[in-house]
Amino acid sequence: MKVYLDNNATTKVSKEVLDSMLPFFNEEFGNPSSMHDEGFKIKKMVNSAKKDIAEVLNVDSKEIYFTSSGTEANNFALKGLAYANKVKSEIITTKIEHHSVLHTCKFLETLGYTVHYLDVDQEGFVDLEQLKSLISDNTLVVSIILANNEIGTIQRIRDIKKICDLYSTYLHIDAVQALTHISLDLKAMDVDLASFSGHKINAPKGIGFLYVKDQTKIVSVMHGGQQENSLRSGTENVAYIKGISVALTSGIKRLDEYTNKLNDLSNYLLNRLNELEVDYILNGPLVGPQRLAGNLNLSFKNKDSMLLTYLLNKKGIYCSTGSACDTTTIEVSHVIKALNLPTEYSSAVLRVSMSLETTKTDIDYFIEMLVESLKE
Ligand SMILES: Cc1ncc(COP(=O)(O)O)c(C=O)c1O
């Protein structure tokens, strides 16, 4: 039996998405910048995909810029603001960001920016008092991961936004894990920039987009042609643009089903662990509105992450550890470190992330194999 429980790492491209993309490889293959009918047709499709995306997010289609990934969208947001607004020299982010934000911030430090990394509490929520104490008129942008990819914490963005407004500070959210998994009305949230990626929502790897609110002072980090209003040069990835728009419009229709099913499966999994008296901690918030549905991040006492994933992998179960490793070292992930777990629980962290295809049988098999592996 094979059980894929790593959907926060990436998802399967759905048949509906794949079918929608196929014609754009060899039938409708024109360049959207071409000044002839083959080009106009494709340009129309790109604009209509953008309109569909904008509609779901309640923004204007002119505020959407396609990118090659969530990583590029985060780079574009932070570097684009930094290069365009040199009068402010501080940035605030958190200790639990994805590396595409953290490493971009580290790079901006080398250009002279001062970056503050906010602490989080035991459930992964940003310390708002610390934010209030650090933010000033010199803060260019606050960049916050809306839904954490490791521990599932969904931040209280409206509270953060109110603080940003006091200092006319831009608010950027990394919403890569949130797309189609929580309801997102960007206008109501009133964020200035938001990053997204396709491969977490059943579209392919290698496509993403950045929302940039109208009037935001930002410059391009990719120079070339005039695509995307000259803010993101490069011939549009037409088929993938179609794919991400279909994945989004179709995923959002299933949001309630997704939330209810995955929260039920999560509660079932946790109840079974309790019944079996497994010694574990659930990292991040309780299953519910403040946690990404289907994401469970579990720590086991005095065990080893690499050994556990190795044993589970041998049994056909694919999930993530809370560690970053290369061939010689294993280090607890920066997100898990930020939670300050008791040391006996920080060395064995498993992230289970489900999809609509996950079944109760999958979870039963996972639990059986987990309990067996914990004994080895
Ligand atoms: C929260 C978050 N931000 C950004 C990214 C990067 O997205 P991409 O893989 O499209 O570069 C990821 C991917 O894991 C993510 O989980």
Side-chain angles (χ1 to χ4, degrees), residues 53-312:
I53 291 173
E55 224 170 83
V56 172
L57 299 174
N58 193 23
V59 294
D60 195 291
S61 61
K62 287 199 291 291
E63 298 171 311
I64 302 289
Y65 298 87
F66 289 117
T67 62
S68 65
S69 58
T71 296
E72 187 194 328
N74 283 335
N75 272 264
F76 179 11
L78 297 176
K79 290 179 188 162
L81 285 177
Y83 298 160
N85 298 274
K86 297 215 172 88
V87 276
K88 291 190 174 189
S89 64
E90 295 192 17
I91 292 170
I92 299 180
T93 188
T94 80
K95 290 186 176 163
I96 61 165
E97 298 302 306
H98 187 264
H99 280 138
S100 52
V101 165
L102 284 180
H103 292 170
T104 303
C105 285
K106 288 282 168 214
F107 168 73
L108 291 172
E109 283 176 13
T110 68
L111 300 188
Y113 283 87
T114 300
V115 184
H116 303 283
Y117 301 88
L118 297 175
D119 294 319
V120 294
D121 66 15
Q122 278 193 329
E123 293 187 331
F125 290 106
V126 165
D127 183 338
L128 294 182
E129 292 310 311
Q130 195 188 20
L131 172 60
K132 284 182 199 159
S133 72
L134 289 170
I135 196 167
S136 73
D137 291 331
N138 195 26
T139 311
L140 170 62
V141 57
V142 171
S143 180
I144 305 278
I145 185 162
L146 175 59
N148 189 273
N149 51 310
E150 290 194 38
I151 54 172
T153 312
I154 299 170
Q155 298 294 336
R156 299 181 179 103
I157 286 296
R158 282 169 204 246
D159 295 339
I160 295 172
K161 170 68 185 162
K162 280 186 203 146
I163 301 171
C164 291
D165 280 349
L166 298 174
Y167 298 90
S168 304
T169 296
Y170 287 123
L171 175 59
H172 164 248
I173 54 170
D174 175 348
V176 164
Q177 294 283 348
L179 195 61
T180 72
H181 300 152
I182 61 175
S183 160
L184 280 178
D185 179 333
L186 295 181
K187 192 161 271 167
M189 291 166 84
D190 200 21
V191 297
D192 299 291
L193 305 101
S195 302
F196 300 94
S197 177
H199 72 103
K200 314 291 180 176
I201 67 161
N202 305 108
K205 298 154 191 65
I207 182 74
F209 62 91
L210 180 68
Y211 159 74
V212 184
K213 188 158 79 184
D214 190 29
Q215 305 292 324
T216 301
K217 206 169 153 212
I218 191 165
V219 292
S220 175
V221 294
M222 191 79 79
H223 299 100
Q226 291 175 358
Q227 294 89 354
E228 302 292 86
N229 212 8
S230 296
L231 269 181
R232 201 287 188 173
S233 299
T235 302
E236 295 86 341
N237 190 350
V238 175
Y240 283 42
I241 286 172
K242 179 70 184 173
I244 196 171
S245 72
V246 171
L248 173 52
T249 47
S250 145
I252 207 70
K253 285 188 200 131
R254 302 185 79 180
L255 175 58
D256 287 346
E257 183 194 352
Y258 181 93
T259 310
N260 294 335
K261 178 177 173 179
L262 271 54
N263 279 347
D264 284 353
L265 282 176
S266 295
N267 283 325
Y268 174 73
L269 193 158
L270 295 176
N271 287 337
R272 285 293 295 140
L273 293 183
N274 293 338
E275 280 164 19
L276 294 165
E277 298 182 357
V278 175
D279 192 343
Y280 75 95
I281 291 179
L282 172 67
N283 298 314
L286 294 175
V287 174
Q290 292 306 129
R291 183 178 194 110
L292 266 183
N295 165 297
L296 291 176
N297 188 297
L298 306 164
S299 281
F300 301 96
K301 194 173 177 185
N302 292 330
K303 299 286 170 193
D304 177 79
S305 291
M306 291 312 288
L307 180 63
L308 260 185
T309 39
Y310 168 76
L311 293 170
L312 289 172

